[in-house]
């Protein structure tokens, strides 16, 4: 267990390298946000969590429970899942978007589609958050383009 890294994992490096190559700038493991998200894009108000399927209990072949000490592992993985939900809830309350990328989605067969989907999602978030709100004008209410002249 001591050899398991929590930062700079291979799946995380794959996502970071792709995002940087596409022009996204980010911070890693931001200490002021709940859960210290793996990747934080402040411009997009988005946190990206790159989760290992085993450690976070994903429903895929990599997310299986070991045959030995099953009670211990179930408890540990369930605790990780609950912590993940709580951290994402707290981030959402603070106005942040949360995206989870699973380790199995970064396998060579699915990697390109996953990363393109991530890029598309980030662009959609940005456009939605920075959209200009259109308000139709009422009859005769065209707003003021300049200050009124003195004496009017």
């Amino acid at each position: 267990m001591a050899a398991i890294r929590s930062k700079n994992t291979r799946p995380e490096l794959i996502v970071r390298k792709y995002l940087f190559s596409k022009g996204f700038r980010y911070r890693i493991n931001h200490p002021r946000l709940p859960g210290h998200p793996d990747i934080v894009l402040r411009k997009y108000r988005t946190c990206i969590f790159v989760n290992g399927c085993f450690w976070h209990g994903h429903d895929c072949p990599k997310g299986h429970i070991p045959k030995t000490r099953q009670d211990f592992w179930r408890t540990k993985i369930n605790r990780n899942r609950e912590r993940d939900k709580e951290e994402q809830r707290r981030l959402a309350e603070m106005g942040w978007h949360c995206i989870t990328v699973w380790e199995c989605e970064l396998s060579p067969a699915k990697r390109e589609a996953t990363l393109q989907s991530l890029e598309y999602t980030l662009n959609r978030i940005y456009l939605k958050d920075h959209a200009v709100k259109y308000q139709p004008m009422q009859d005769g209410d065209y707003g003021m383009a300049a200050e009124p002249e003195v004496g009017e």
Side-chain angles (χ1 to χ4, degrees):
M1 295 260 282
I4 304 299
R5 295 188 311 198
S6 63
K7 297 179 182 177
N8 299 324
T9 61
R10 186 167 182 263
E12 189 178 325
L13 292 174
I14 290 169
V15 173
R16 286 177 13 201
K17 184 176 179 181
Y18 180 83
L19 289 175
F20 193 86
S21 72
K22 296 298 180 181
F24 294 97
R25 298 301 179 251
Y26 52 82
R27 304 267 309 191
I28 57 174
N29 305 106
H30 199 288
R32 292 186 178 173
L33 292 176
H36 306 282
D38 297 321
I39 301 169
V40 177
L41 295 108
R42 292 178 61 195
K43 177 179 177 181
Y44 300 82
R45 291 204 49 88
T46 301
C47 299
I48 300 174
F49 293 93
V50 183
N51 289 347
C53 295
F54 174 74
W55 297 104
H56 295 270
H58 191 228
D59 294 328
C60 72
K62 289 184 176 184
H64 71 283
I65 302 288
K67 295 195 185 304
T68 59
R69 300 180 65 199
Q70 287 189 343
D71 292 336
F72 167 78
W73 286 111
R74 272 197 195 91
T75 305
K76 181 170 185 60
I77 291 171
N78 287 336
R79 213 172 39 234
N80 288 349
R81 282 179 157 178
E82 291 302 316
R83 188 184 66 240
D84 292 343
K85 287 179 189 175
E86 177 62 22
E87 289 167 354
Q88 290 188 10
R89 185 190 60 75
R90 289 174 51 202
L91 286 165
E93 287 175 356
M94 296 169 64
W96 288 85
H97 302 278
C98 296
I99 299 174
T100 301
V101 178
W102 292 97
E103 174 187 14
C104 63
E105 294 173 348
L106 295 172
S107 65
K110 300 179 186 177
R111 182 178 301 160
E112 194 61 34
T114 300
L115 295 174
Q116 286 178 353
S117 174
L118 177 63
E119 179 184 7
Y120 177 79
T121 303
L122 289 171
N123 287 325
R124 294 282 298 181
I125 288 170
Y126 182 80
L127 289 174
K128 184 178 144 207
D129 287 351
H130 293 85
V132 175
K133 306 291 189 272
Y134 174 73
Q135 296 177 350
M137 290 187 214
Q138 303 297 327
D139 293 333
D141 180 27
Y142 297 107
M144 189 179 312
E147 295 181 19
E149 292 184 25
V150 179
E152 279 190 23

